[in-house]
C-alpha cells in the first residue's frame, strides 16, 4: 500500500527531476552509503581509544599491541577521509550537474520562445529563474539530501541507543516534545527565508536608486530635484533598516525557542527518569547516559525542519521553472511543413491582425504583391503598423491562415527556422552584443565570412568610423568597451544584417539616426549590389524611396495608397503631403546655412 503511494508520487514528479534521478540514482545511493559510512566510522576511533586507555591503565598491553590499535585508528581515519571525499563528489557534484542541466534547458527554451512571450514576461522575472530558482533546486538536490541522511541516521542511532541501552518507555516519553522542534524549525525557516528575500529586495532597491542618481546626476541637477531624490533615497534606506530588523527579531526568537523545547524534554526525562532511578528500574549511570543522548537528538530534529523547508522551496522553484519549460510558442510549428525554396515572391491577402491578448486591430485588410528582385518601400506614421507587418512576415507573431504566402505557400506551413534562413532582417532598434565590432558583424554567419566584414561595413557607410576607433574592428563595444553613437550602432547593426546572403532583405526603419543623404547613398548602393534579391525598406524619408518599384503608404493599420514615387506624388494624397513637407524642411535647413 505504502509503496504504491510512493510510486504514485514518483510518477507525479517533475520530468526534469525524474529523468535526472533515473540517470543518477546510483550515484546518489553510493553517495548516501558513503555518508552513512562516515557517520558510523566516526563512532569507532573514540571507542578504540577508550579500550586502549583501559588496557594501558591495566598494563595488559605491550608496545606491539599499542601500535596495532594506533594503526587501526589511522586506517579508520583514512577510510573516513575517502568516504567524505566520495559523498561530496557524488552528491554535490551530481547536484551541480543537475543545476547546469536545468539552466541549459531553460536557456534552450528561451531561444525557442516567440517574441510575444517576452512581451508578457518581465525580464527580471526570467533572470530570477536562472539564479534563485536554480539555486533552490541545487540546495534541494544536494544539501537537503546530505542533511536528511545525516539527521535520519543520527536520530535513529541515538534513539535506538536510548531505548536499547537504557529504557524504551522513558525514551518514548522524553521524546514527545521533539517533533515540535522540527515544526518550529520548519515554520521559522520559512519566515526567515521570506524576510531574507525582503532584505535582499530592499537592498537592490537601494543600489538601484543610488546608481540611477549617479548616472543621471546631470538630469537631477538640471531639473533641481535634489530634494526629491534625497527623499526617495531616505525612504528606501528606512525600509532597508526595517526589513533587516524584521530578520534580526526572528533570529533572536529562534534559539531561545529551541532551548525551551529541548529543555522541556530534559525536564520530562528528569522527572520520570529520576523516579525510575529511585525505584531501581534504571541505574544512575544509565540515567546520565540517557541525558547525554537526549541532548544529541536536538540537532537532528532542527535539521529535519530545515530540510523540509528546503524541499518545499525547491519544489516551488521547480514549479516556476516548469512553467517556462512548458510554455508553448504562440506561433505553432506547421503540422505538415513545406520547405519551399524562397526567392522573394510575397503575396498578402486581406490580412487583419491584432496582437495576442489584445483586442485592438493594428492591421486592417492588408493586400500586397511583391515579386522577386523588387525594391519595395513602406512608409507611414509611427504606430501605423509597418513593423507589425514585418514581424508577421518573420513569424515572430502568428498570422491568420490564408493571409500571407511566400512562393504561393501559406507562411503557416513553412517552418520558422527554414524561413529565417531566407530573410535577413535589420530591426528598428539597433542592438550590439558586448564584444568586438567584427564579431558583432559576423554574428549570424560563419567564420569564413571574416574577409567580407570590411566590404559590408563600407556598404553600411561605417568603415571609416570603425577604422577611427583605437582597435579598429577589434574594438569592444558596450559596457566594457566604447560607446557608439546611435547612428554608428545602427550602421554596424545594418552591416550585420547585410552580410547574411539571403534572397529577401528587410530594413525596418533602421537608419533613422543617420542623415538623409547617407541613408540614400546606402540604399542606392545596396540596391545595386542586391541585383535579383528582394529589398523591402521601411523609412520616413521619401527621398530614399524615389527609385522603389512600389511604395505602400500605411495609415492607422491600413494601406491608404500604393504605387511608384512619381505616381504617388502626382496624386493628391498623404504621400504627396508628406513629401512636400519634407522638401520644405530641407529648404529651411539649407537656408539656415549648413
Ligand atoms: N507587442 C505588442 N503588443 C501589443 N501592441 C503592440 C505591440 N507592438 C506594437 N503594438 C501596437 O501596434 C501598433 C502598430 O505598431 P508598429 O507596427 O510598431 O507601428 P510602426 O512600425 O508603423 O511604427 C501600435 O499601436 C503599437 O502600439
Ligand atoms: Mg516600426
Amino acid at each position: 500500500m505504502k509503496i504504491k503511494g510512493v510510486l504514485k508520487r514518483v510518477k507525479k514528479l517533475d520530468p526534469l527531476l525524474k529523468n535526472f534521478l533515473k540517470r543518477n540514482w546510483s550515484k546518489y545511493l553510493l553517495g548516501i552509503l558513503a555518508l552513512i559510512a562516515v557517520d558510523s566510522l566516526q563512532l569507532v576511533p573514540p571507542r578504540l581509544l577508550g579500550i586502549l586507555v583501559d588496557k594501558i591503565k591495566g598494563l595488559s598491553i605491550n608496545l606491539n599491541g599499542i601500535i596495532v590499535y594506533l594503526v587501526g585508528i589511522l586506517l579508520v581515519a583514512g577510510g573516513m577521509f575517502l568516504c567524505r571525499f566520495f559523498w561530496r563528489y557524488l552528491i554535490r557534484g551530481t547536484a551541480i550537474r543537475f543545476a547546469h542541466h536545468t539552466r541549459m534547458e531553460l536557456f534552450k527554451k528561451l531561444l525557442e520562445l516567440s517574441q510575444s512571450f517576452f512581451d508578457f514576461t518581465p525580464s527580471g522575472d526570467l533572470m530570477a529563474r536562472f539564479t534563485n530558482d536554480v539555486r533552490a533546486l541545487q540546495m534541494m538536490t544536494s544539501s537537503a539530501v546530505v542533511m536528511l541522511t545525516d539527521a535520519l541516521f543520527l536520530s535513529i542511532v541515538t534513539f535506538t541507543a536510548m531505548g536499547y541501552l537504557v529504557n524504551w518507555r522513558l525514551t518514548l516519553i522524553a521524546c514527545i516534545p521533539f517533533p515540535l522542534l522540527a515544526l518550529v524549525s520548519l515554520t521559522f525557516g520559512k519566515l526567515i527565508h521570506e524576510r531574507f528575500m525582503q532584505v535582499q529586495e530592499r537592498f537592490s532597491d537601494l543600489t538601484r536608486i543610488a546608481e540611477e542618481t549617479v548616472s543621471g546626476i546631470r538630469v537631477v541637477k538640471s531639473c533641481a530635484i535634489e530634494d526629491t531624490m534625497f527623499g526617495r533615497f531616505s525612504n528606501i534606506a528606512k525600509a532597508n533598516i526595517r526589513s533587516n530588523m524584521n530578520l534580526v527579531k526572528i533570529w533572536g526568537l529562534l534559539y531561545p525557542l529551541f532551548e525551551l523545547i529541548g529543555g522541556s524534554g530534559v525536564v520530562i526525562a528528569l522527572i520520570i527518569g529520576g523516579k525510575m532511578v529511585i525505584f531501581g528500574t534504571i541505574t544512575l549511570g544509565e540515567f546520565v547516559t540517557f541525558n547525554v543522548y537526549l541532548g544529541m537528538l536536538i540537532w537532528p530534529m532542527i535539521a529535519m525542519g530545515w530540510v523540509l523547508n528546503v524541499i518545499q522551496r525547491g519544489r516551488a522553484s521547480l514549479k516556476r521553472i516548469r512553467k517556462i519549460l512548458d510554455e508553448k510558442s504562440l506561433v505553432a510549428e506547421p503540422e505538415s511543413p513545406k520547405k519551399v525554396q524562397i526567392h522573394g515572391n510575397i503575396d498578402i491577402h486581406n490580412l487583419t491582425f491584432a496582437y495576442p491578448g489584445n483586442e485592438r486591430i493594428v492591421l486592417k485588410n492588408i493586400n500586397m504583391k511583391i515579386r522577386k528582385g523588387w525594391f519595395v518601400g513602406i512608409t507611414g506614421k509611427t504606430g501605423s503598423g509597418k513593423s507589425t507587418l514585418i514581424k508577421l512576415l518573420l513569424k515572430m507573431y502568428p498570422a491568420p491562415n490564408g493571409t500571407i504566402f511566400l512562393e504561393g505557400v501559406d507562411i503557416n506551413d513553412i517552418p520558422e527556422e527554414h524561413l529565417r534562413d531566407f530573410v535577413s532582417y535589420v530591426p528598428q532598434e539597433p542592438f550590439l552584443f558586448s564584444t568586438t565590432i567584427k564579431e558583432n558583424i559576423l554574428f549570424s554567419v560563419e567564420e569564413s565570412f571574416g574577409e567580407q566584414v570590411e566590404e559590408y561595413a563600407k556598404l553600411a557607410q561605417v568603415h571609416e568610423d570603425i577604422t577611427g576607433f583605437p582597435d579598429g574592428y577589434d574594438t569592444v563595444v558596450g559596457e566594457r568597451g566604447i560607446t557608439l553613437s546611435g547612428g554608428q550602432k545602427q550602421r554596424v547593426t545594418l552591416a550585420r544584417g547585410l552580410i547574411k546572403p539571403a534572397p529577401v532583405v528587410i530594413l525596418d526603419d533602421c537608419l533613422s539616426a543617420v542623415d538623409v543623404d547617407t541613408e540614400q547613398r546606402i540604399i542606392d548602393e545596396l540596391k545595386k549590389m542586391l541585383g535579383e534579391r528582394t529589398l523591402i525598406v521601411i523609412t520616413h524619408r521619401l527621398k530614399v524611396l524615389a527609385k522603389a518599384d512600389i511604395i505602400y503608404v500605411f495609415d492607422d493599420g491600413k494601406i491608404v495608397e500604393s504605387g511608384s514615387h512619381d505616381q504617388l506624388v502626382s496624386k493628391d494624397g498623404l504621400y504627396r503631403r508628406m513629401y512636400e513637407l519634407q522638401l520644405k524642411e530641407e529648404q529651411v535647413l539649407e537656408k539656415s546655412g549648413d
Side-chain angles (χ1 to χ4, degrees), residues 110 113-121 126 324 327 330 397:
L110 283 193
L113 284 167
S114 54
Q115 179 72 41
S116 49
F117 168 78
F118 297 94
D119 296 346
F120 291 113
T121 319
L126 277 177
I324 303 231
E327 196 72 46
L330 272 177
Y397 291 91

Side-chain angles (χ1 to χ4, degrees), residues 208-220:
R208 192 171 39 82
I209 193 164
E211 206 175 277
E212 252 175 44
T213 310
V214 171
S215 52
I217 192 73
R218 252 189 298 175
V219 181
V220 171

Side-chain angles (χ1 to χ4, degrees), residues 563-576:
S564 71
H565 177 77
D566 293 338
Q567 284 170 343
L568 289 172
V569 170
S570 65
K571 266 196 238 169
D572 182 22
L574 181 60
Y575 189 88
R576 181 156 136 189

Side-chain angles (χ1 to χ4, degrees), residues 34 66 73 99 161 251 309 422 445 458 546:
I66 294 180
I73 290 176
W251 275 119
N309 184 25
F422 290 91
V445 290
K458 278 180 191 156

Side-chain angles (χ1 to χ4, degrees), residues 60 298 302 366 531 573:
S60 61
I298 292 182
I302 294 173
I366 301 289

Side-chain angles (χ1 to χ4, degrees), residues 427-467:
Q428 196 164 359
E429 310 81 20
F431 180 81
L432 297 181
F433 300 94
S434 335
T435 173
T436 64
I437 291 179
K438 184 171 178 191
E439 276 180 14
N440 261 297
I441 295 179
L442 283 173
F443 228 90
S444 57
V445 290
E446 323 235 315
E447 287 280 318
S448 58
F449 281 82
E451 287 167 17
Q452 294 172 42
V453 167
E454 274 190 34
E455 183 190 328
Y456 283 91
K458 278 180 191 156
L459 182 60
Q461 306 281 340
V462 69
H463 172 70
E464 271 159 37
D465 297 64
I466 296 172
T467 45

